[in-house]
Amino acid sequence: MPSTEARPPRERAWPLGVVLAVFGVGIGYVAMGYWRRGPLVMAMALGIAAVLRLLLPPATAGLLVVRSRWLDVCTHLVLGLGIVAVALLVPGRR
């Protein structure tokens, strides 16, 4: 198996690119005024990050690797659940 340095940068960056693309869609929803849908999509991006970090080896997960695997996955899940809680608990327009 080639080392991380031997892999092209594009091969190591796609997981983060997927997460950022989904998160960007969530930001777009918020910018268009969908205050509940946007954060839910952002939370989904963090869930995708957790799943990718859990399933991919560190060399492929690239920039999603920060600390140990379990800490990265738990952090993404807790932040995602926090965003869902805020999105659902904040009162909407009346």
Side-chain angles (χ1 to χ4, degrees):
M1 181 169 183
S3 68
T4 304
E5 293 77 33
R7 291 176 180 243
R10 190 176 315 141
E11 188 176 327
R12 293 188 313 249
W14 73 264
L16 183 64
V18 168
V19 172
L20 290 177
V22 174
F23 202 86
V25 170
I27 291 174
Y29 275 128
V30 170
M32 291 186 295
Y34 295 102
W35 291 101
R36 291 207 193 274
R37 188 177 301 163
L40 292 176
V41 172
M42 291 182 211
M44 184 176 65
L46 287 170
I48 292 170
V51 169
L52 288 174
R53 179 64 179 105
L54 182 65
L55 298 178
L56 295 176
T60 306
L63 295 172
L64 292 178
V65 178
V66 178
R67 301 281 181 192
S68 65
R69 180 174 289 180
W70 71 270
L71 185 61
D72 288 343
V73 170
C74 289
T75 302
H76 285 114
L77 290 176
V78 166
L79 290 174
L81 290 174
I83 291 174
V84 167
V86 169
L88 297 178
L89 292 176
V90 171
R93 295 183 188 164
R94 293 180 187 215

